[in-house]
Amino acid sequence: MENDGRVDDLKIPLLETEEEECVKDRTVLFQISDIKCASCVNSVESAVRNINGVKSIMVSPLDGRAAIKYAPKFITAKKIKETIEDSGFRVDNVQEQNISVCRVRIKGMTCTSCSESIENALQMVDGVKKAIVGLALEEAKVHFDSNLTNADKIIKAIEGGGYGADLISFGNDVNKVHLKVEGVDSAKDIDVIMSCIELAVGVNHVEMDLTEHTVTVGYDPDFTGPRTLIHCIQAASCGPKIYQASLYSPPGQIGRDKVNEIRMYRNQFLLSCLFSVPVFVFAMVLPMFPSCDKWLNYKIHNMLTLGLLLRWVLSTPVQFIVGKRFYIGSYHALRRRSANMDVLVALGTNAAYFYSIYVLIKASTSDTFQGQDFFETSSMLISFILLGKYLEIMAKGKTSDALAKLTKLVPDKAYLIEIDTGGNIITETEIDTQLIQKNDIIKIVPGAKIPVDGIVIKGQSYANESMITGEARPVDKSPGDKVISGTINENGCLHVKATHVGSDTALSQIVQLVEAAQLAKAPVQKLADDISRVFVPIVVVAALITWLGWYIPGEAGIYPKHLGPKVVDPFELALQFAISVLVVACPCALGLATPTAVMVASGMGASLGVLIKGGDALEKAHKVKIVVFDKTGTLTVGKPVVVSAVLFSEFSMEELCDMTVSVEASSEHPIAKAVVAHAKRLRQKFGSRTEDVPDVKDFEVHVGAGVSGKVGKRTVLVGNKRLMHACNVPICSEVERYICENEIQARTCVLVSIDGKIAGAFSVSDPVKPEAKRVISFLHSMGISSIIVTGDNFATAIAIANEVGIDEIFAETNPLGKADKVKELQMKGMTVAMVGDGINDSPALVAADVGMAIGAGTDIAIEAADIVLVKSSLEDVVTAIDLSRKSMSRIRLNYIWALGYNILGMPIAAGVLYPFTGIRLPPWLAGACMAASSLSVVSSSLLLQFYKKPLHIE
């Protein structure tokens, strides 16, 4: 029974991603006739709710509309419709709401106003349910009803806003395989291949590229796999017509796009430098040498000099060819009635360039005009901005380094073997890892990476799982143990049966979860969003005020004209200050402050075995003041063992064990499994030769107390004292004494009652995790208090609390009671974290500000949590909170960098210091400062890559 439980656990994926949930559950809308009253509604709901696979149903008595959520794996919309019609109601029309997910790469975003405008555009597309745009990740994740819209319409909506868009993935792309098909010469061949694949069991999506002769197949790994699909295509061969299929790896579009973008910025910067550096030399350097200054000032016509003409000729390509992207970006931004960095750059460079054109025209038509041009300002400004974007995009690429390392952990090749009944190898074939299917047996040689999640069926070894769990020590692996894809087999040879492939592997789910977390916005990002909405208009107004503030007093003669080494025209001086204000204040750095830090932190957390499900969880964790711990499986090891069994009546030990096994076998609780395993061993010890146990009827779970049922004609209760009291079973002094003796030693007593009389008891011990005491002590040093909330009895809870150093205890609490306790603490103004592992902890995990699920716990607890501690070590509770604190500190520092540049830079750019010190910020230097602000923010976030865990327990 114990081994069976372990095998059942292997069927549960480590994590369940949002996309998988969307794929699993669908919603169908029915219009039902003849709904007249509430009883009709009840009839429909009763009929449908009993169908296996129906998750929920809501029927409106007013208009007869029914919304039914169901799992397509178990039931179809057609079957639900037939059930309703069998109940005597007519279904007029059916509209199935099929929620799909797609990820889109977006090009051209510069600041938060860009990401917000894209989100708004996507929300306006009919059928889009939810859209998240990540500025730092340059991606959007869109949830939509595929009956109303599709990926093409979503991409058009993004492109309509002036941005580039490419589809990254549609739905769950991990369970897709790309095959190259040979032997296809005609439309008939295509029809044959498409038909044979579409009819194959488990296939849910087929696309064929006729030009490349490739086919993309989406499939359910529970029913089929890549090798089966290849055989399916080959089996379609008929007569002389032979089809062959092989794995095909499409070029990595995302990586190629990133490389192309980096190359584009580099080339544009170099092209800009080719023209702007000579302009700068002609304007700033050569005039310092008398011989050069003489020929630069050579007059071609009237006051038009050779130097002025050369500067105009060289700066024009920079302004209109290299700087074209700023014009396009400004046009689309203004068309959306918003403003971004492109608007500021275009305003600043145009002001400098076109005023210089005015100077050039005036000089060529007058023999007395003297004016200063700013051709070097516009060209150098564009060059510095492009350099900043080039360095920024290079740095941003490093924010996902931790995630990139995770994706590369899976090996390219694996050894597929067939074995006989004796476990001997019959055949051994080296295959591509992508061809592995569920239930394949893989041979893992010493030093090799494990390609799939699975269970060891033969061999003994140690596995290095540090790259997944952060656990440095190798983990012993023997038959029956789980192994994780991407980990390293250290010394022995293992035979592993694949239990999870594709999107079900722990590694794949970690990657998907971290990607989703990196897209999600942290609440602190709202500050940047709010500022960016009004930032550009304020900067433009500030630049205008700066220009007026210098020009009007200059013309009025309020300040001396000889502020520099030579006479400065008031208009020109004012214009320079205004341009500097325009370009020094850029919202880019502000928009990158939060998402870059979240990206690095979530990636680092994943590499340390702490999975943070989004910026919200990352932000809340730093405020935690109280951590509520479950006991069993959280503070304790979670593998309870029975240390003694006693009889209290005339029943024999064999009868006691038979009754216990019959009832407890249906329970999923860890203590129940330990009791069943021990009772089975006792049955064999006392001479029982059969494995069969009597069937149980009327089985019932009493939450937080135990279980009950009928075995034959006898009523059997198995549980704690609360269950016995609730069912009026008397507890004699002998039983009370036995319970007290064991509870003092932190043992749990499981009482067995047969026909209203206590027949015996099992004493169960679940040792405390070795790191628990150190973790509680460290949390206290961080200013965080700890509480135990458990369904176990007070005496056992007190014993555990004394052992680990926790003062406050709430025992004999049911699942809803745990959630109520969390809410009670929140009512006092506390930010509460809940750490648990079981189904009974799920309500509390959801209720808590931050829910932390032990990674070895149930999938329901993991789904309910905000943070998953993959390696099930309590030290990672400290890691999660500390990483959150470090991340929030880094985000605040990023805001200081971003806002500091603007708060300090804008007054200096506006010329506040110039009248007193002669210090001013030329426009080209202001552009360099603007570029440096974004680069400094990204670099600041990258420092989180050096994060070290505060607590290491060997």
Side-chain angles (χ1 to χ4, degrees), residues 183 188-189 192 233-244:
K188 183 182 178 183
D189 294 333
V192 169
I233 292 171
Q234 291 170 344
S237 302
C238 183
K241 180 61 73 175
I242 297 174
Y243 304 120
Q244 294 291 336

Side-chain angles (χ1 to χ4, degrees), residues 9-202:
D9 288 343
L10 295 166
K11 296 177 182 175
I12 302 169
L14 174 69
L15 301 167
E16 190 167 78
T17 61
E18 199 174 0
E19 285 90 338
E20 286 179 313
E21 194 62 36
C22 290
V23 170
K24 283 183 179 178
D25 295 341
R26 291 182 181 176
T27 302
V28 64
L29 303 176
F30 291 132
Q31 185 67 50
I32 305 173
S33 301
D34 305 325
I35 294 283
K36 297 170 183 173
C37 59
S39 62
C40 297
V41 171
N42 290 333
S43 300
V44 173
E45 289 184 345
S46 300
V48 174
R49 194 172 281 121
N50 292 328
I51 304 173
N52 182 31
V54 170
K55 299 293 184 71
S56 66
I57 175 171
M58 291 180 64
V59 182
S60 169
L62 299 175
D63 57 9
R65 294 181 70 205
I68 302 165
K69 188 177 180 181
Y70 69 98
K73 191 172 180 179
F74 300 106
I75 191 70
T76 62
K78 184 180 177 183
K79 180 66 178 174
I80 296 171
K81 178 187 175 186
E82 290 172 354
T83 303
I84 296 172
E85 289 174 338
D86 289 343
S87 302
F89 298 93
R90 191 173 78 252
V91 179
D92 290 336
N93 64 339
V94 179
Q95 182 189 358
E96 188 164 1
Q97 191 181 42
N98 189 4
I99 303 299
S100 300
V101 183
C102 72
R103 287 171 58 214
V104 181
R105 169 74 62 190
I106 301 173
K107 303 169 190 172
M109 288 194 295
T110 55
C111 57
T112 49
S113 64
C114 297
S115 60
E116 278 206 341
S117 63
I118 293 171
E119 277 187 10
N120 293 335
L122 288 172
Q123 294 286 4
M124 292 174 68
V125 177
D126 189 27
V128 169
K129 303 297 178 186
K130 182 178 166 188
I132 306 167
V133 179
L135 173 64
L137 210 58
E138 296 178 333
E139 285 184 17
K141 185 164 80 170
V142 187
H143 298 251
F144 60 96
D145 184 350
S146 56
N147 292 319
L148 300 175
T149 190
N150 54 38
D152 290 336
K153 290 180 182 177
I154 288 167
I155 288 172
K156 283 178 183 175
I158 296 170
E159 290 175 340
Y163 301 94
D166 292 312
L167 186 67
I168 299 173
S169 64
F170 185 91
N172 193 353
D173 267 7
V174 184
N175 284 334
K176 278 190 178 180
V177 63
H178 304 275
L179 301 173
K180 186 87 171 177
V181 182
E182 297 174 7
V184 176
D185 303 316
S186 64
K188 183 182 178 183
D189 294 333
I190 293 167
D191 291 339
V192 169
I193 290 172
M194 290 287 283
S195 298
C196 79
I197 296 174
E198 286 172 345
L199 292 172
V201 178

